[in-house]
Amino acid sequence: LPALALILFWVYKPLVQTLSLALCRWTMVPGTEPQFVGLSNFARLLTNKDFLPAVLNTLFYTVGMLPFAVIIPLLLAVATQNVNEKARRVYRALYFIPMIMAPVATSTIFQWLCAPGTGLLNRLLSALGVVEAGASFFTDPQLCRVIILLISGWKMLGFSTILFSAALTGVNTQYYEAARLDGAGAFRQFWDVTLPMISPTIMLLVMMSVLFSSQWTFAYIDVLSQGGPYGMSTNIYYLMYKFAFNDMNVGLCAAAATMFMVFFGILAVLLQRANRKLA
């Protein structure tokens, strides 16, 4: 009962308040009260000039995070699975260090690395001829969201690699012995034994990446680009933040939150069904 009371107070009470504010206009000014406006916030949201770019960027971050959350960590986990125990612990620690770094500290480090004049990454890429000397990554519409995606993906690698390593440890080695007796090589063992046995972990990480990738990028957008340039790096979560705390438009923020809560809720149900079929 105490756990249920805490959940009701900290989760469902704010949820109900958000749903009610989506139907109101309120600026959070002390002494003012929310005014009921019906569905007009949703109509204003759909016609807002920043809404479609934010949705497209949300899709970009969601799809772009999948290799960092699933494919690359799986390959890293498989590559380090058969090394000796001490080396495997070192590898796992190295992979996991980025995950425990504070997002704001990580953003500051990459801000120094990508500085137009003195940044190490800028100088290296300029020497290789990839970018022009003095390129400003976070004011370039083509580069900004790519850099933010790479930083977010780099942070995610360690968490996914640890989960895959744990899943691989739980696979019975007798399956691999039987496969080798049948003449299966390394690739066939990976395809016919490893992937089916760890499919629940794969689906879990796919689900987490799809549902939470845009939230993981929020801190880097806020610190490094503030959604710019020209809205090219913003996503729906940062747009909601701007609606509430820059524009003081709580109703529009709540309308966006409600709309995407429904969308991601449907997506979560579909992924759960897919997980049950594959597990």
Side-chain angles (χ1 to χ4, degrees):
L1 186 61
L4 181 61
L6 289 172
I7 292 173
L8 290 172
F9 183 79
W10 290 111
V11 178
Y12 290 101
K13 179 175 176 286
L15 176 61
V16 172
Q17 290 175 329
T18 300
L19 296 176
S20 63
L21 287 173
L23 304 175
C24 299
R25 180 180 298 142
W26 187 38
T27 61
M28 292 192 293
V29 174
T32 61
E33 295 291 335
Q35 297 179 351
F36 181 79
V37 293
L39 298 176
S40 65
N41 283 326
F42 293 93
R44 292 174 59 199
L45 177 66
L46 294 174
T47 57
N48 188 285
K49 63 181 180 61
D50 296 325
F51 179 71
L52 182 58
V55 171
L56 294 177
N57 286 336
T58 301
L59 181 62
F60 171 81
Y61 291 127
T62 300
V63 175
M65 279 292 291
L66 286 174
F68 296 100
V70 180
I71 299 174
I72 299 175
L74 177 57
L75 296 178
L76 290 174
V78 170
T80 57
Q81 185 64 23
N82 293 323
V83 299
N84 66 72
E85 183 66 25
K86 290 183 178 180
R88 187 159 64 244
R89 289 177 182 175
V90 172
Y91 282 126
R92 288 178 177 178
L94 291 175
Y95 294 148
F96 201 72
I97 284 173
M99 186 69 191
I100 62 177
M101 293 175 62
V104 175
T106 302
S107 301
T108 303
I109 291 171
F110 276 92
Q111 208 167 30
W112 291 338
L113 290 173
C114 299
T118 59
L120 179 61
L121 182 61
N122 202 321
R123 289 187 174 187
L124 178 61
L125 294 179
S126 299
L128 295 175
V130 178
V131 299
E132 296 180 0
S136 180
F137 293 99
F138 301 114
T139 58
D140 188 314
Q142 303 302 323
L143 294 175
C144 185
R145 66 179 186 173
V146 174
I147 295 294
I148 289 174
L149 174 62
L150 291 175
I151 297 171
S152 305
W154 173 73
K155 285 273 290 180
M156 184 63 187
L157 280 176
F159 177 75
S160 299
T161 304
I162 293 297
L163 286 187
F164 278 130
S165 296
L168 290 171
T169 303
V171 177
N172 195 326
T173 57
Q174 292 180 353
Y175 293 117
Y176 294 106
E177 294 173 3
R180 282 193 293 270
L181 289 175
D182 289 338
F187 178 77
R188 294 300 300 177
Q189 291 179 40
F190 173 77
W191 188 261
D192 293 332
V193 178
T194 303
L195 287 183
M197 294 301 295
I198 64 171
S199 59
T201 304
I202 294 174
M203 284 303 302
L204 171 65
L205 288 170
V206 168
M207 190 183 315
M208 289 183 61
S209 180
V210 169
L211 297 179
F212 301 121
S213 57
S214 291
Q215 296 182 33
W216 295 332
T217 58
F218 176 88
Y220 311 113
I221 295 172
D222 187 35
V223 176
L224 296 173
S225 69
Q226 294 79 49
Y230 315 114
M232 286 297 294
S233 64
T234 191
N235 63 17
I236 191 63
Y237 293 99
Y238 191 72
L239 188 64
M240 286 190 282
Y241 169 79
K242 288 178 64 178
F243 284 154
F245 299 105
N246 288 3
D247 302 339
M248 303 296 286
N249 193 331
V250 177
L252 207 57
C253 172
T258 301
M259 183 178 297
F260 277 86
M261 180 194 70
V262 173
F263 172 76
F264 282 116
I266 295 172
L267 194 57
V269 171
L270 294 176
L271 289 171
Q272 286 278 16
R273 290 183 177 179
N275 187 29
R276 283 197 294 268
K277 290 182 179 180
L278 294 174

